[in-house]
Amino acid sequence: MSGLDVAVRILDPRLPGWGFPRWGSALAAGLDLHACLDETLELAPQAPPVLIPAGFALAIRDPGWCAMVYPRSGLGHREGLVLGNTVGVIDADYEGPLMISAWNRNPPGSVPLRIAPGERIAQAVFTRVGRPSLRVVEAFPDAQAAGRGAGGFGSTGRG
């Protein structure tokens, strides 16, 4: 139990019939998000992303939490359906309609992806947010004490 109480406002009356709100299994992290479309949508490979309504709005209202929108792993891996913004962040103070930025990552010449009304196309994961106090400094004291310093990509080796 997280202790987080989130109000959900249904904007599309078809959602309850599609099973919203629900998680795909008892231990699933992501809340299923449905494509609230009036007709099947075809996404051409590499075409610009389109915004698909999720059919509801949230009121998180706790600054220690946010929701993150991720693609469904099977659709991304097998079908090429990913989010145009890779991950969507729903801040605690946003209470407008949720939209899913859908993009077909398949190479040009591939078959367009078809998204049907009501299809589960993304998932929302609620997570805690850390908001540290930021302190601006000219240099980091004893930078070598951390061990890595400014070493970036590949600096710790492979594997």
Side-chain angles (χ1 to χ4, degrees), residues 47-121:
V50 297
L51 290 175
I52 299 174
F56 69 100
L58 298 172
I60 298 172
R61 295 187 179 168
D62 182 332
W65 289 85
C66 75
M68 303 191 83
V69 179
Y70 295 99
R72 294 190 68 228
S73 54
L75 286 176
H77 179 71
R78 289 189 302 273
E79 307 292 328
L81 179 62
V82 295
L83 300 185
N85 56 340
T86 64
V87 175
V89 177
I90 311 301
D91 294 312
D93 60 350
Y94 177 71
E95 297 180 8
L98 267 70
M99 303 293 283
I100 302 161
S101 176
W103 183 61
N104 180 348
R105 69 169 171 78
N106 289 314
S110 300
V111 176
L113 290 174
R114 296 174 54 87
I115 301 173
E119 186 173 353
R120 295 175 301 141
I121 61 168

Side-chain angles (χ1 to χ4, degrees), residues 39-52:
E39 58 190 29
T40 298
L41 172 70
E42 285 198 357
L43 282 176
Q46 301 292 314
V50 297
L51 290 175
I52 299 174

Side-chain angles (χ1 to χ4, degrees), residues 1 26-27 33 44 76 94 98 114 117 123 126-128 137 142 145 152 154:
M1 198 64 141
L27 299 179
L33 302 182
Y94 177 71
L98 267 70
R114 296 174 54 87
Q123 55 189 325
F126 294 87
T127 189
R128 291 193 180 273
V137 299
D142 198 14

Side-chain angles (χ1 to χ4, degrees), residues 8 10 14-34 56 72 118-126:
V8 177
I10 303 291
R14 300 172 295 178
L15 275 177
W18 292 331
F20 181 85
R22 75 164 176 247
W23 279 259
S25 71
L27 299 179
L31 173 69
D32 290 337
L33 302 182
H34 298 263
F56 69 100
R72 294 190 68 228
E119 186 173 353
R120 295 175 301 141
I121 61 168
Q123 55 189 325
V125 175
F126 294 87

Side-chain angles (χ1 to χ4, degrees), residues 4-16:
L4 178 64
D5 180 41
V6 175
V8 177
R9 189 165 55 99
I10 303 291
L11 304 175
D12 189 312
R14 300 172 295 178
L15 275 177

